[in-house]
Each structure stands twice: as C-alpha cells, then as structure tokens.
Amino acid sequence: MKNVVALVATAVLAAQSASAHYIFQSLSKGTAKGTAYEYVRRNTNYNSPVTDLSSNDLRCNVGGATGGNTSTLDINAGDPFTFTLDTAVYHQGPISLYMSKAPGAAVDYDGSGDWFKINDWAPNFSGGQASWTMKDTYSYTIPKCVPSGEYLLRIQSLAIHNPGGVPQFYVGCGQIKVSGGDSASPKPTAKIPGAFKATDPGYTANIYNNFHSYIVPGPDVFAC
C-alpha cells in the first residue's frame, strides 16, 4: 500500500512539474493571439526548458534549427507584434526579445549569425520587492530603423526561480519578413550560444535573499 501511495505521489509531482512549464507557441501582428506554430518554429521537447549554455538549442529551442513547415510573417518596421504562450509564464525571471537577420530566407536560417536584443522585461523594484512580468502574451514593436529583410525573432524566458539549481531557458523563434526598414547596424550583437555565461550576475542571482537590483544577462538592448 505504501508503494502505491508513493507511486501516486510521484505521479502527482511529475504532473505538477510538467504543468509548471510553458512554451511560446504563436506570433501575430498587433496584439491578437495567433495560431500555434504558424509563424513560430515547432519545438520537439514539449514544454521542457533548455539548460545547457553551450547548446545550439538555446537559439530556437530543441527541434528549431530550421523552419520546416513554418510560415514567415510579413511585418513592417515599427509595427507591433505579439508572442503568445500555451500558459502564462510561471517562473520568475526576465523576458527578452532578440532579432537575427537571415542571410537569405528565414525558413532556412539556423540562427548561427549575430543576434541583437530589442527589449527586456526586467524586474520592477518600486514596491520594495521584485515584481516580474509574468503573462501569457508579450507585445512589442519591430524597431523602425532595422534594415528590411528576413529575420528570426526570438523570445526568451530565463527562469531563475531555483537558487542553487540550474537556470532554465524557455525560448521560441518566429520567422518574419520586415519591410519599410532603414539602414541601421544594430549593436551590440552576440552569438547564441555564447551570449550567456554561468558567471553572469543575472544568471546566478538569488531572488529570495537580499534581492534589490538585477542585470539581465546578454547584450545591452539596441534602440534606434
């Protein structure tokens, strides 16, 4: 009987653990919730995180090295877009947006080129303690000054909810074709993997002990 109880408890914990994870499934223009995996590359690890800082899976998740049957979203520079998850972000940590220009078609691009960051949702400390932006949709705009062309648009949730454990990356890549852009050369840029290090203060932060400031890992945010 004890064995049965233990097995049931293990199953419940496993289910709770799985339900605590999430995946960025859709990308759309404006603030609408899009169709799952229409413009976002389909991952093959369900909603599990990536934890290896040296893995190419940090770019677009497991199974996301190429576009497969993923369509490419036409969008103008300066236009808003929205990423939607299967369930709201559950773990504390920053949310970041990156772009990388494809040398040709976004569907064929593996993300091995340069990435630049266009936004961070960092913690807000104005209430005396950290407040994180934990939602099921994240909206922002394509920078007006980026060159026209096809890009990978990457969203990342870095979960740092388990001090002493390994931080978790939940990532998804949308494919976009930007029109009406300008001639900026976005900087700073970084390679992924390589943009995040185990020694980064934002990677090793303990959010439960004397937590009054935070630096989001990765390059600084590019702005026109």
Side-chain angles (χ1 to χ4, degrees):
M1 184 65 179
K2 289 182 178 180
N3 289 339
V4 172
V5 172
L7 287 172
V8 171
T10 300
V12 169
L13 286 173
Q16 289 175 340
S17 176
S19 66
H21 293 175
Y22 40 87
I23 187 68
F24 296 95
Q25 287 186 324
S26 67
L27 171 66
S28 65
K29 293 181 183 179
T31 58
K33 292 186 178 181
T35 302
Y37 302 114
E38 181 178 11
Y39 301 114
V40 173
R41 292 183 174 182
R42 186 181 292 274
N43 59 301
T44 57
N45 60 339
Y46 185 48
N47 57 8
S48 296
V50 179
T51 58
D52 183 354
L53 289 176
S54 64
S55 173
N56 290 341
D57 292 332
L58 277 178
R59 296 171 186 163
C60 293
N61 213 338
V62 180
T66 58
N69 296 321
T70 309
S71 298
T72 299
L73 177 66
D74 289 315
I75 191 168
N76 292 323
D79 279 357
F81 62 86
T82 296
F83 275 102
T84 302
L85 299 99
D86 59 338
T87 187
V89 168
Y90 185 87
H91 296 313
Q92 297 98 321
I95 309 292
S96 301
L97 289 167
Y98 287 80
M99 294 177 67
S100 182
K101 196 171 189 298
V107 68
D108 300 321
Y109 180 40
D110 65 357
S112 58
D114 292 333
W115 292 85
F116 58 97
K117 188 191 290 185
I118 63 172
N119 192 52
D120 281 324
W121 283 277
N124 185 329
F125 293 94
S126 61
Q129 60 183 7
S131 174
W132 301 93
T133 305
M134 299 166 69
K135 307 188 298 181
D136 63 354
T137 62
Y138 291 86
S139 298
Y140 200 65
T141 57
I142 302 296
K144 289 184 177 181
C145 62
V146 299
S148 298
E150 300 202 12
Y151 290 80
L152 291 180
L153 177 61
R154 176 181 179 273
I155 189 165
Q156 165 191 295
S157 166
L158 173 56
I160 54 172
H161 60 290
N162 185 20
V166 179
Q168 302 171 345
F169 290 85
Y170 297 87
V171 295
C173 282
Q175 297 176 179
I176 60 173
K177 182 178 181 180
V178 176
S179 300
D182 208 334
S183 56
S185 297
K187 295 185 183 305
T189 62
K191 300 288 188 182
I192 301 176
F196 320 108
K197 298 178 175 59
T199 54
D200 290 341
Y203 182 82
T204 58
N206 184 337
I207 64 174
Y208 306 110
N209 182 27
N210 196 31
F211 186 58
H212 303 296
S213 63
Y214 184 75
I215 299 173
V216 180
D220 291 338
V221 172
F222 164 74
C224 295

